[in-house]
Amino acid sequence: MQLKFDQGRILIVGDVMLDRYWRGAASRVSPEAPIPVVDVQAFDDRPGGAGNVALNIATLSPHVHLLGLLGDDENGAALKKIFNK
C-alpha cells in the first residue's frame, strides 16, 4: 500500500505558539547577570508547536487543518497573519 499525502486529509490538534527569533549584535555582558546585552536589529516570527507541524505537513498535502487556540493579542494576530499566507 502506497501512502499518498497529497490525497489524504490531515487534522493537527495541539498547542499553537509563536516562536520569535531576535537578531542583533551583542556588545557587552550585563552587569546584573552573565548574559549578553543585545541591540535587536530585526526579528522573525514563526509558528511553533502544532503550528509548525501543520506548516511542515502542508508541504506534503494541501488538505491540512489545524485546530488550536490563539490569544486575542499581538502574538495571536501575528500567527493569524502567518497562517493566512
Side-chain angles (χ1 to χ4, degrees):
M1 180 174 166
Q2 185 177 6
L3 190 59
K4 297 181 180 181
F5 279 104
D6 61 338
Q7 295 176 0
R9 293 176 185 251
I10 300 170
L11 174 64
I12 307 296
V13 180
D15 293 329
V16 180
M17 58 195 79
L18 181 68
D19 290 345
R20 181 166 281 170
Y21 297 90
W22 294 347
R23 293 189 310 256
S27 58
R28 63 186 178 93
V29 175
S30 172
E32 290 88 17
I35 58 171
V37 176
V38 178
D39 179 23
V40 177
Q41 308 278 323
F43 63 90
D44 293 321
D45 287 342
R46 298 181 187 163
N52 184 38
V53 173
L55 286 180
N56 287 335
I57 292 177
T59 63
L60 301 172
S61 171
H63 307 290
V64 177
H65 302 277
L66 174 62
L67 179 63
L69 298 175
L70 295 179
D72 188 18
D73 57 3
E74 177 187 343
N75 293 345
L79 281 166
K80 284 180 192 177
K81 185 177 178 180
I82 292 169
F83 288 130
N84 285 331
K85 286 183 183 179

